[in-house]
Amino acid sequence: MPALSLPALHASHAGSWLREGAGATRPVSKGEAVTAAADTPLLILNAPLVATRLGYPDLSGLDLLELFAFVHPARFVVPTPKGLAHALDLEEPTGDADVPRLLQEAAGALLETCESPTWAEREGAWTGLQSLIRMRWPWSTLLSGRIAKPQQAERWLFTRLPEWEESPEAPQPRQVTLQPAEVLQRLAKLTGSSAEQRQSQRAYAVEASEAFAPREARGRPHVVLAQAGTGIGKTLGYLAPASLWAEQSGGTVWVSTYTKALQRQLRKESRRAWPEYRPDGSQPVVVRKGRENYLCLLNLEDALQGGFAGRAAIMAQLVARWAAYSQDGDMIGGDLPGWLGTLFRQRGITALTDRRGECVYAGCPHFRKCFIERATRASVGADLVIGNHALVMINAARGRDQASRPTRVVFDEGHHVFDAANSTFAAALTGAEAIELRRWVIGPEKNARGRRRGLSARLADVASYDEAGAKAITAAVAAAEALPGDSWMQRIVEGAPSGPLEELFAAVRATVYARDESGGQEAGYGLETEAAGLDGAFVEASEAAREALAELRQPLMRLSLRLEALLEDGPDWLDGPGRARIEGARHSLGWRIDLLAAWEALLARLAGPADPEYVDWLALERSEAREFDTGIHRHWLDPMKPFASVVLEPAHGVVMTSATLRDGDTWDQAIKRSGTPYIDVAPKLSEHLSPFDYAAQAEVLIVNDVPRGDIPALAGAYGRLIEASGGGVLGLFTAIRRLRAVHGRIADRLARGGLPLYAQHVDPIDTGTLVDIFRDDPKASLLGTDALRDGVDVPGHSLRLVVMEQVPWPRPTILHRARRVAGGGSTYDDSLIRAKLAQAFGRLIRSRNDHGHFVVLSSAFPSRLLSAFPQGTPVRRISLEEALHRVAASVSGETVKDGDPARPPV
């Protein structure tokens, strides 16, 4: 396979290397590398990452990832030299200096694929390439001579995609009672005849099956709270009764997760119970996500026809290539490479989804091929729907189809249900939210690109044929002028707000700054203050804003009623697609009317007494000294109250399961956070300990001689621990500022020693791809924040050391303070901290063969928090030098004999 004899450049924290055509590879300085890249297009891998390494943000060239996305759309590859080599079956580079050679070989292999008669992704390539040639995509010249023009015109993406089919309404499920013997028989079938019989898994499956029993009273579902330690096999444990119930009843079970990683794992595990397709071609298992995760074909068409310009237009062409081969059109965590969006340094990926709620449903020319509609319809007749916590709650609260709302739900990662409910049932009247509502009603601002359409455009036929509807639309558009417009934040900062909402946000900003007690120490970070003790001028501004919101809500309500009347007594011009589109418009109107009502209630409270069920505050959002939003926030003091009403009460059976559901030896917190007390249901409690031998497999080291707040000492500790472990380190931070400081001090030194270091909020790579890179390279280490504390599954040698910079104390926000008072003060804090520690520790031991250390760099680690770790785990308070010795000895396989006996948690 011939290598492409073009110059290739590789840059890492260890240095830069340049290979001139077929010549030798040589190390170069950053300045020389930048000069070479500016003079001629170079072969590179992941241009944004290379640009960060070189400190040259304008770097461009022939990025192998872009070529891979064109040649192999919807195919997975870890975006590293090693990952590229494995994906193309090439020799893995021996080190940084060998990477340019690989880039030339990879380019040659990909280009050669385009000439192969067996190229699986050939269809559409030639047509797409013609557009990329006009856009002067760097790879187009090299590709144009290798992709032959097809003898017949290629079908465009929008004609190539299959149409979904209508299906009859699903009948109610039969009432069945699962017998323990048949549940165990189904579990044995799923695990396989050669699998070991795990008694804890068998007991877990039987107890979980109780949630599927017939409901005995309205509003009183069967609820099972199941704590299952890592290694129990809880996924198959609940899929056994779920699949059995779906088979016998003909109903649908929803399994809800908090992370996309677990969704992918569930999809894989579900294949043990269900085939990919039924004999009739339907899917028994469907993955469902929020609308904002899927490609919107109308947005893509607009982007391809001039809505995007420059690099974003190239990205749209690559997304179109992917869409033709995608399994389900999922852009966020699906089979679209997570790194594709970061290559173009723009928010182009999100612009291609339906984040603004502008869907016209049946009025869209691509409605019958829509990925979102296909997933929605497939889920109605599915046996299993894999969703996420937020989607389940939103679907229960305002799903378009009452019959498709979940009634049997398994909440995996159940410890996150509270967090999801906290976000789902909150209200935020902010500038960013208000301007989005304005755009939804009015349409695009002047000179705006894209396909934004206001109410008048989306309901033009209604306005033409229904006078009352037309008047309501006109009134709504006029009232929406009171909402913030473009450059609203700039006007507020300059002291020139326009309209009642901008005047309110100016008052919020002024109040927050007036009450700030940080003394400027928190410059660049968000500020907040209680929505209490507000002066008369503020109350007047809030009242004017509330009246403006009411002026908008009223015509929207009138419009909703007119649409309902049209559906009940449809005119001659209203055909089937038109009815579907109006039904969709009613749904969109409904939740915006609810949103306005929530905002009005929030503002009305500012002039009166506080409601003890809610926590209200004013906030100014800042990032690196740039103000970008401000507004008023309202959260439930206990979000499980609306969760109980909206999700639990209508359900028939619910399982909440996690490895960290309980707090220590008590169920009190888990029961409270399940929402069951609000519906007077006593949940069934189920506990199953992990089968792992933590005394032999893991060790907790509390390092007591790294001074708190000493960044050089903290960085030194991280660097030496990574060296002692030989990589394979997950470093967890509670502050982005400290993460960046530590990374900046140690990354170069570690890389020169062959230990690559990656970091969230530093490397221009999405979190999912960072975890893929970390998992793929046992010598790599990864620094991150809360997103990496749980939901990250890296079994084996790739993760052998978890390091936390300090005890993860809760942030002292206004919301936390209110919940702390209501929850018992320090005991509430301790339960949150123990949960975070347990989740972080859970990353370390994922199988019986895993071994590793959990290190906390804190001299003041309270003993009361040690119960977060599994019973029997050795805990030692030692110096950094001793910790380094134990980590290094463990990696080398030595036995430490220092006379320090294992001390169980207290």
Side-chain angles (χ1 to χ4, degrees), residues 220-225 671 676-677 679-685:
R220 295 179 62 82
H222 296 284
V223 179
V224 176
L225 303 184
I671 294 172
T676 53
I679 57 172
D680 195 27
V681 166
K684 177 177 178 57
L685 307 178

Side-chain angles (χ1 to χ4, degrees), residues 188-197 272:
K189 179 180 177 181
L190 298 185
T191 56
S193 57
S194 60
E196 62 173 311
Q197 294 290 313
R272 297 178 182 233

Side-chain angles (χ1 to χ4, degrees), residues 234-277:
K234 67 177 182 295
T235 302
L236 293 181
Y238 60 67
L239 284 182
S243 62
L244 191 63
W245 180 84
E247 177 184 296
Q248 294 183 3
S249 71
T252 301
V253 178
W254 283 64
V255 176
S256 178
T257 77
Y258 191 71
T259 62
K260 294 181 176 66
L262 183 55
Q263 280 189 326
R264 289 193 294 268
Q265 179 186 331
L266 267 168
R267 185 67 189 92
K268 182 179 178 181
E269 294 284 0
S270 70
R271 294 191 177 100
R272 297 178 182 233
W274 290 277
E276 189 76 19
Y277 295 96

